[in-house]
Amino acid sequence: KDIAFLTHDPLINRFREMKSHIKKYKRALVRGNKEKAERMLENSPRYTLDHLIKERYPTFQDALRDLDDPLCLINLFASFPSDKDFNIPRDRIQNCQKLSREFNLFLIRSRALRKAFLSIKGVYLQAEVLGTRVTWIVPYPLAHDLPHDVDYRVMLTFLEFYETLLKFINFRLYKDIGLEYPPAIDTSVENANYFTYAALLVRGQTLGPEESHTKEKYENNDFAKFREETAAASGTNTKLFEGLTFYLSRETFKGILELLILSFGGQVLADTEENFVDPRDKRITHIVTDREPEHLKQVKGKEYLQPQWLVDSVNNGILLPLDEYRPGKTLPPHLSPFIEREGEAYVPQRQKEIDTLKGEAIGIEEEEEEKEAPEAQDDEDEEHEGYDFEREQALKVKSKKDSVLENKALSSTVLTKKNRRILERIRYGKERKLEEAARLKQKAKKLKSK
């Protein structure tokens, strides 16, 4: 059945046409008819994967839910060098760079970025696009030594499909916020060695809501309201860096840091081919650098910090104190924002410090509850003199424990063998978490004692 379905796919007929066209082209070359061969080469049939996208993703939300892998692979190839030995053409790499930059420009305009994490493999990013969470990894902009034990032909096959998918998604996302696609940007800025999103936003013809031909579309669209509602629902402060201007030093990974800063309302000044920024510029408030203090010529009135401060501030929704992130300082632990710590038995000390800064420490809430509890108990004692409240509470707790144990015993007997195994796995997982939490607490005590 599957083979019969594939035989009627439009791609099969297109491949047959291409095969016969190649035979005719070779025949013309053999006969010495060069004009005909050149004309046939210009008019050679080509195939597209548009119909596959429409078949596989009936709705736009289906395409967004499957966007993680395409973004990972496209960003990976965008960082690759072109290589003839592995058949990685330059135009494919440039197309990957173009698609990833267009998607990042949407994230900047829609303020859809939510989380970031610096790891050894690269930078993990998470965005909320029209209510759908998308997580992907972006490699660091370093020189790659391509391994020889990887089949790049298979990866290029997947890449071809993912490029078509991301182009469809970018078109729809740009349409939703009232922008033309592809964006009419200055090619000299796009292809510059010192690429900056800030330059695209300034010099782009259709990337600012102040332009007359896009302002009407943007105001009539309810996307801005939807953006604010989704940000409020997720607890994200999308105006975190508003009023701040950052200068990114040359040794930092500019593309990722620019994406973070611009997505949260800040401004970026960075060097380009035509213009080198002076760090003494009055507009600059913060200078992001990865150099040692002895190699820096610090300017008075400027805040110097390491790149981790930007990521930690974004993940926690507040501007963290700068003292621990100064150049040359040992950085605090970089906690993953993808771990839900609510209900966890172990909470790292750094997380407790951040919670205290945010005014959401668990200890404060517990103290308030403890203060309220005795007051309520005193009121009840006054109303019911001679009533043994403590004994009644102990009986309630005991009966509650007995009912829980009884329900567990009943559930294990009533459940089927398959469901009983699932329940045992859940319990085993909880026990493992408690053991891991105890081990981490013990380790923290040893480190503290040293």
Side-chain angles (χ1 to χ4, degrees), residues 151-166:
D151 193 348
Y152 293 97
R153 291 176 299 175
V154 177
M155 295 179 69
L156 287 167
T157 304
F158 277 95
L159 181 67
E160 187 177 10
F161 178 77
Y162 288 158
E163 284 175 318
T164 309
L165 173 62
L166 187 56

Side-chain angles (χ1 to χ4, degrees), residues 71-81 92-101 138-139 144 159:
L71 283 175
C72 290
L73 193 62
I74 287 172
N75 280 285
L76 177 64
F77 270 88
S79 64
F80 275 1
R92 296 292 294 277
I93 293 170
Q94 289 178 344
N95 189 42
C96 289
Q97 291 174 350
K98 178 175 174 290
L99 290 171
S100 63
R101 288 170 181 175
V138 180
H144 290 279
L159 181 67

Side-chain angles (χ1 to χ4, degrees), residues 159-359:
L159 181 67
E160 187 177 10
F161 178 77
Y162 288 158
E163 284 175 318
T164 309
L165 173 62
L166 187 56
K167 194 172 182 181
F168 269 88
I169 290 174
N170 284 347
F171 170 77
R172 174 66 184 272
L173 293 176
Y174 273 65
K175 185 180 178 183
D176 285 344
I177 60 175
L179 299 180
E180 297 177 3
Y181 184 82
I185 55 180
D186 192 343
T187 54
S188 63
V189 176
E190 184 186 14
N191 298 324
N193 293 329
Y194 298 95
F195 171 79
T196 63
Y197 290 105
L200 287 179
L201 290 171
V202 172
R203 298 173 65 174
Q205 297 177 7
T206 62
L207 290 176
E210 65 276 3
E211 281 82 358
S212 59
H213 61 282
T214 59
K215 186 175 181 181
E216 186 177 352
K217 292 181 183 178
Y218 192 83
E219 289 179 349
N220 292 337
N221 200 333
D222 58 351
F223 183 78
K225 185 179 179 182
F226 177 77
R227 179 183 69 184
E228 294 174 1
E229 290 175 356
T230 52
S234 62
T236 305
N237 182 11
T238 57
K239 299 179 180 179
L240 184 65
F241 298 138
E242 276 196 359
L244 305 179
T245 303
F246 296 84
Y247 171 75
L248 302 179
S249 189
R250 292 188 183 183
E251 71 276 1
T252 58
F253 37 98
K254 294 182 182 178
I256 300 167
L257 295 180
E258 260 194 318
L259 175 62
L260 284 172
I261 295 168
L262 296 173
S263 297
F264 287 85
Q267 294 182 355
V268 177
L269 293 178
D271 296 331
T272 63
E273 282 186 335
E274 301 174 359
N275 183 28
F276 289 92
V277 179
D278 187 358
R280 295 172 294 182
D281 194 319
K282 293 181 180 180
R283 295 172 294 174
I284 298 173
T285 58
H286 293 70
I287 295 177
V288 184
T289 181
D290 226 353
R291 301 178 189 176
E292 294 296 326
E294 55 268 19
H295 301 299
L296 283 173
K297 294 181 180 178
Q298 298 195 15
V299 182
K300 290 183 179 180
K302 311 294 182 186
E303 297 286 357
Y304 286 79
L305 53 98
Q306 297 187 52
Q308 187 181 319
W309 180 82
L310 295 169
V311 183
D312 287 348
S313 298
V314 165
N315 292 336
N316 295 288
I318 59 169
L319 297 177
L320 296 173
L322 290 168
D323 294 336
E324 295 178 307
Y325 298 91
R326 301 287 185 189
K329 289 283 188 73
T330 302
L331 291 169
H334 183 48
L335 303 178
S336 172
F338 301 103
I339 298 175
E340 296 293 337
R341 304 195 185 278
E342 292 184 6
E344 290 288 329
Y346 173 75
V347 179
Q349 183 62 30
R350 177 60 181 170
Q351 187 62 50
K352 292 178 182 178
E353 294 172 3
I354 293 172
D355 289 340
T356 305
L357 290 171
K358 293 166 69 175

Side-chain angles (χ1 to χ4, degrees), residues 57-102:
Y57 305 107
T59 64
F60 186 58
Q61 290 297 328
D62 294 331
L64 289 177
R65 280 192 288 268
D66 202 19
L67 189 56
D68 297 358
D69 289 341
L71 283 175
C72 290
L73 193 62
I74 287 172
N75 280 285
L76 177 64
F77 270 88
S79 64
F80 275 1
S82 59
D83 198 303
K84 292 182 180 179
D85 296 336
F86 298 121
N87 295 321
I88 302 176
R90 184 181 177 184
D91 57 342
R92 296 292 294 277
I93 293 170
Q94 289 178 344
N95 189 42
C96 289
Q97 291 174 350
K98 178 175 174 290
L99 290 171
S100 63
R101 288 170 181 175
E102 288 172 355

Side-chain angles (χ1 to χ4, degrees), residues 50 100 123 192 239 294 383 429 437 445:
D50 298 350
S100 63
V123 181
K239 299 179 180 179
E294 55 268 19
E383 291 177 4
K445 283 181 181 179

